[in-house]
Amino acid sequence: MDTSAEFRKYAADCEKMVKVSKDRETKAVWKRMAERWLRCARLAEEEDAYQARQLAEKRSKPHRNPHAWERMARQS
């Protein structure tokens, strides 16, 4: 399971606790906890997207790969 999915599962568990809790204060605590897990999930997704962009950029730059220069020279 990926990190963001795991965090979303934790948030769902907290939401279940909100529904079964009796007093307002406890419900509020579980609700805030669910919101924090969802925030963590979004941050994890953003980090994954950033890492994917970095990897794609690294792979697309010929100066990072000496053999890419050879391919570019042959194509010219």
Side-chain angles (χ1 to χ4, degrees), residues 8-26:
R8 289 186 188 284
K9 181 193 172 305
Y10 296 155
D13 291 343
C14 291
E15 289 292 341
K16 289 176 190 173
M17 293 304 295
V18 170
K19 292 177 183 174
V20 299
S21 297
K22 303 296 181 198
D23 65 283
R24 294 173 109 192
E25 188 175 328
T26 303

Side-chain angles (χ1 to χ4, degrees), residues 28-64:
V29 169
W30 283 114
K31 185 71 176 165
R32 283 194 307 270
M33 208 168 211
E35 290 168 358
R36 288 179 182 169
W37 280 120
L38 289 174
R39 191 176 319 135
C40 289
R42 286 190 296 273
L43 289 171
E45 289 166 354
E46 290 172 10
E47 179 65 22
D48 288 346
Y50 173 78
Q51 293 297 330
R53 284 192 308 272
Q54 292 294 102
L55 183 60
E57 185 179 315
K58 182 178 178 182
R59 288 180 178 165
S60 71
K61 290 185 179 179
H63 68 277
R64 302 269 187 206

